[in-house]
Amino acid sequence: ILPQHVAPNELTKANGLVESGTFVAILLGTIFGTYYITQNVGPEIISIAVLVLAVLGYVSSRFIPISAANEPNLAFTYNIYTSTKNVFSALNSQTESVGKSVLGISWFWLIGAIVLTTLPNYVKHVMGGNELVVTSALVVFSLSIAIGSLLCEKLSRSRIELGIVPFGAILITLFLYLLSTEPAILSYGVQIDELLTLKQVLNTGDMRWHFVWMAGIGIASGFYTVPLYALIQQRTEEACRSRVIAANNVLNALFMVCSAILSIVTLSILEWSISELLLLLAGLNLLISLYIYTKVPEFFLRFIIYILAICMYRVKTRGEINIPEEGAAVIVANHVSFVDWMFILAASPRPIRFMVFAPIYYSPALHWLFKMAKAIPIDSEKANPEAFKKAFDDVAEALERGELVGIFPEGKLTGDGCVDMFRRGIERIIERTPVAVVPVHLGGLWGSMFSRKTKWQLPRLKWSLVSVSVGEPVAANKAKADNLRERVLDLKLLYSKDND
């Protein structure tokens, strides 16, 4: 119900709050539950406490705003098999990005369940810690997930940024590996007759690194899951969103059952150590991540764009609200560098299919990247009329499917940093498929390592400021080449005034 109560640009923040609240609640339940059971207060008191929590949960639910049914005529059935089949049918009808996001979230719950259930034994047998150390480890892990979930909104710049998902997956693999290779307390030459206190553990060798790796897994988990939840909510059809979420929850539960089976097989039957199980998880996480990013290249593409736009440049975006949240539109922009399309994609909440000059599209070094981005190759009409015609056919098909298409009407990179004349191909596109045109101006890229001003060189140590200014959509009947060029130039003047 979050998409019904928050704005699209608040989905990541809302999911971050839900995720952080969830794991703080799990933490509190684990701590207080363990405490009261170890105090031998008796089943009566514990039962009363559970019932009180249930009542508080019900009372809290009464404060949730009313959410209208997206599919009020949907038939309800008490048949568990039929209901489960229906929710998975709804999931199968969605795009592959939604399906693989559900798979990714379920895989996270498998990892989380194993880490949480093995943590007490890990602390006892590897770190040599007592119950307080176990509680401290739970606090570190759970609060780190909460922190990572809240940080995700900042790193995403209040939008759904899929580029953070591979980043989180890489970090989870890394920290699981580091946690699995941390030596046990006996490796430090310490002989113990009884379990160590928290202070003793922290003062023994480099044992504090165990906590650092746990915190790393937690923070990375927040980076990994929050965008996936937000993506499911955003890209799922409203009429079956609840059923898709239900399918996600069912699959989460199945993966958690699998986590228990995996733990039993490895720890009890095969008699592996906990460290070996964590190492196996690190390897499996890497394989699962590669599978998801191979099936849905958008995740990896956004990761590349995120690294480029955030780590190599300081990007300032304005007017991105003008990019339609749904429906077809054409994005037109000035052409300054070879990576212009990446910066426009970084500013867009939706995928954009760019038209790319065929020789560059098919170049051995870049073909895989443009294919991943579902770019549309276009060649000269004189050199290859068939490829030229096919490019316009592909653009028309994409627009008819409600996609965003990006073009650079200048037809070439600028040689002097100025905006050249716009060619009439844009008019041909709009005449065939009348849709709105969104003008975009790119600033700050002239003189970069990707422009024609200088030869290839290493990026400057100081972050370069790049601006992506998005103007208001232009109606199809006013989308003339000269008019669109003037709109782009107006955005350039606006950017200059802001800098002054």
Side-chain angles (χ1 to χ4, degrees):
I1 63 174
L2 283 180
Q4 293 179 261
H5 299 297
V6 301
N9 64 341
E10 295 176 330
L11 264 182
T12 299
K13 182 178 181 179
N15 279 281
L17 290 170
V18 169
E19 192 79 353
S20 60
T22 298
F23 279 90
V24 168
I26 290 173
L27 171 64
L28 294 175
T30 303
I31 292 174
F32 285 107
T34 303
Y35 173 77
Y36 283 113
I37 288 177
T38 55
Q39 295 303 305
N40 295 320
V41 296
E44 295 82 6
I45 301 298
I46 293 175
S47 299
I48 292 172
V50 171
L51 289 173
V52 169
L53 286 174
V55 172
L56 289 175
Y58 171 76
V59 173
S60 299
S61 71
R62 303 300 300 176
F63 291 92
I64 299 174
I66 297 298
S67 304
N70 290 324
E71 186 61 53
N73 297 322
L74 187 66
F76 177 78
T77 174
Y78 286 98
N79 187 309
I80 295 176
Y81 172 78
T82 303
S83 298
T84 306
K85 182 180 178 182
N86 288 341
V87 297
F88 278 102
S89 296
L91 176 60
N92 291 332
S93 67
Q94 304 305 307
T95 61
E96 192 164 26
S97 61
V98 172
K100 293 303 181 287
S101 294
V102 169
L103 175 64
I105 291 172
S106 299
W107 172 249
F108 159 75
W109 280 104
L110 183 146
I111 292 178
I114 290 179
V115 171
L116 281 174
T117 53
T118 59
L119 207 53
N121 285 327
Y122 181 89
V123 171
K124 179 179 179 181
H125 298 294
V126 179
M127 299 175 65
N130 61 14
E131 288 182 7
L132 180 58
V133 182
V134 172
T135 302
S136 301
L138 288 171
V139 169
V140 168
F141 182 67
S142 301
L143 288 185
S144 296
I145 295 179
I147 292 170
S149 300
L150 296 177
L151 280 177
C152 191
E153 191 265 340
K154 297 296 182 184
L155 294 175
S156 300
R157 295 163 293 168
S158 300
R159 46 182 283 190
I160 300 174
E161 181 51 76
L162 299 182
I164 298 179
V165 177
F167 182 57
I170 292 170
L171 289 180
I172 289 174
T173 299
L174 173 64
F175 289 124
L176 278 172
Y177 169 76
L178 291 173
L179 194 63
S180 70
T181 56
E182 277 294 318
I185 186 71
L186 296 177
S187 302
Y188 291 103
V190 179
Q191 298 296 325
I192 57 173
D193 296 323
E194 58 183 22
L195 297 176
L196 303 179
T197 64
L198 179 61
K199 183 177 181 180
Q200 289 173 323
V201 168
L202 294 177
N203 290 333
T204 302
D206 293 327
M207 294 297 289
R208 62 184 64 89
W209 286 109
H210 292 267
F211 289 109
V212 174
W213 306 146
M214 291 176 195
I217 295 172
I219 292 174
S221 297
F223 296 165
Y224 178 78
T225 57
V226 170
L228 293 180
Y229 276 115
L231 179 142
I232 292 172
Q233 294 162 356
Q234 182 197 54
R235 297 192 182 179
T236 302
E237 299 172 12
E238 287 188 8
C240 54
R241 183 184 293 138
S242 296
R243 280 171 286 165
V244 171
I245 298 297
N248 173 64
N249 291 340
V250 172
L251 205 60
N252 292 172
L254 290 175
F255 270 67
M256 292 175 74
V257 171
C258 291
S259 74
I261 296 173
L262 181 61
S263 297
I264 292 171
V265 171
T266 54
L267 299 177
S268 300
I269 299 177
L270 300 179
E271 297 184 347
W272 286 13
S273 67
I274 296 176
S275 295
E276 289 174 323
L277 174 58
L278 293 177
L279 183 60
L280 174 65
L281 277 183
L284 290 176
N285 185 66
L286 181 62
L287 293 176
I288 291 291
S289 299
L290 289 175
Y291 168 75
I292 292 175
Y293 307 143
T294 302
K295 289 293 185 180
V296 189
E298 182 184 357
F299 286 101
F300 184 67
L301 177 65
R302 297 294 303 196
F303 175 63
I304 296 174
I305 293 169
Y306 184 78
I307 295 298
L308 175 71
I310 300 301
C311 296
M312 293 180 63
Y313 293 90
R314 188 160 50 94
V315 183
K316 186 175 183 180
T317 305
R318 53 171 65 77
E320 62 268 29
I321 193 173
N322 290 317
I323 298 177
E325 295 178 6
E326 57 183 21
V330 176
I331 312 294
V332 297
N334 57 316
H335 207 3
V336 189
S337 73
F338 291 101
V339 292
D340 291 344
W341 62 282
M342 286 191 172
F343 286 99
I344 297 174
L345 265 180
S348 173
R350 296 173 56 194
I352 303 175
R353 298 187 62 184
F354 284 90
M355 297 185 77
V356 178
F357 188 42
I360 298 177
Y361 177 89
Y362 290 109
S363 62
L366 297 174
H367 178 60
W368 66 275
L369 184 60
F370 287 123
K371 187 176 181 180
M372 185 185 298
K374 296 183 179 180
I376 300 171
I378 182 171
D379 212 335
S380 167
E381 188 173 14
K382 292 182 179 179
N384 194 336
E386 290 185 6
F388 182 81
K389 180 180 180 300
K390 185 179 184 306
F392 281 91
D393 290 341
D394 290 343
V395 168
E397 289 178 8
L399 293 175
E400 288 170 3
R401 287 195 298 268
E403 296 179 305
L404 296 178
V405 174
I407 69 170
F408 299 100
E410 294 167 273
K412 58 182 176 61
L413 287 181
T414 178
D416 55 7
C418 298
V419 181
D420 207 342
M421 299 301 296
F422 279 15
R423 299 184 181 182
R424 304 294 173 185
I426 177 61
E427 297 178 3
R428 178 174 177 175
I429 290 172
I430 300 304
E431 183 179 349
R432 179 172 177 178
T433 314
V435 296
V437 181
V438 181
V440 175
H441 178 266
L442 293 163
L445 282 167
W446 177 244
S448 71
M449 63 179 292
F450 300 108
S451 68
R452 291 194 183 278
K453 182 179 181 181
T454 55
K455 295 182 179 179
W456 284 87
Q457 59 183 0
L458 292 174
R460 289 167 286 186
L461 294 178
K462 183 180 179 181
W463 279 352
S464 300
L465 177 61
V466 174
S467 72
V468 182
S469 303
V470 185
E472 295 181 359
V474 179
N477 59 353
K478 297 181 180 178
K480 304 300 179 183
D482 294 339
N483 179 34
L484 293 172
R485 179 176 179 272
E486 290 300 321
R487 297 291 185 108
V488 172
L489 288 173
D490 289 342
L491 292 171
K492 178 182 179 181
L493 293 175
L494 182 62
Y495 167 63
S496 300
K497 290 179 180 179
D498 287 349
N499 282 346
D500 293 340

